[in-house]
Amino acid sequence: SHGDVEWKSSNHIEPAEYWANVGDKRNVNSVETWYSNNNVYCVYSRMQGSRTCDRVYSHSVNQYGCSAMGGVTAKRLVAMDNDNTVGGDSGGPYSYSTEAVGVVKGSKSIWFKRRGTFTKATR
């Protein structure tokens, strides 16, 4: 499996948009298709009310789920240099300008440092 996204369907239209910052809702004009170490992406933390940009540390990490969630492993996640999110930010947007990049998964320790992780965006 790739990331931690589950697809659902409904009978209403969902516009392709996301919150980039407080009061800044943006339309998605493109979706990232090539993830590389050192790419810069930004995350909006609704819990902290701030947008922070950071560099990619690794573009293919696995993150193990807690036993309460069935212990499912999310694979091929992106890990950032730093952890710029807090509890409650899961499901929030990673972006660059008007390009959708991914969805906040959480964080994990890699090489003695806590790093933010996200599921890659898909079309």
Side-chain angles (χ1 to χ4, degrees):
S1 101
H2 296 48
D4 66 344
V5 176
E6 182 177 35
W7 298 102
K8 302 285 185 186
S9 61
S10 68
N11 59 1
H12 64 279
I13 295 172
E14 290 289 337
E17 58 188 13
Y18 64 92
W19 288 100
N21 213 333
V22 177
D24 183 8
K25 192 181 244 183
R26 296 182 185 175
N27 291 322
V28 174
N29 292 326
S30 64
V31 177
E32 177 68 285
T33 57
W34 188 257
Y35 298 82
S36 295
N37 295 357
N38 296 315
N39 280 12
V40 174
Y41 300 129
C42 305
V43 62
Y44 171 53
S45 169
R46 288 194 79 169
M47 300 305 291
Q48 299 174 89
S50 63
R51 180 176 175 83
T52 306
C53 300
D54 199 4
R55 293 188 183 280
V56 171
Y57 172 78
S58 176
H59 56 87
S60 187
V61 299
N62 295 339
Q63 190 165 348
Y64 307 101
C66 65
S67 58
M69 298 300 288
V72 176
T73 299
K75 299 178 180 178
R76 298 183 179 152
L77 301 174
V78 175
M80 303 303 285
D81 279 343
N82 300 289
D83 181 12
N84 297 301
T85 61
V86 296
D89 284 335
S90 295
Y94 265 92
S95 63
Y96 187 79
S97 186
T98 58
E99 182 173 59
V101 174
V103 178
V104 175
K105 165 69 174 164
S107 65
K108 72 177 281 180
S109 291
I110 305 172
W111 283 103
F112 310 105
K113 186 173 181 180
R114 203 80 191 153
R115 301 177 189 277
T117 57
F118 68 87
T119 299
K120 297 172 185 175
T122 59
R123 288 192 169 264

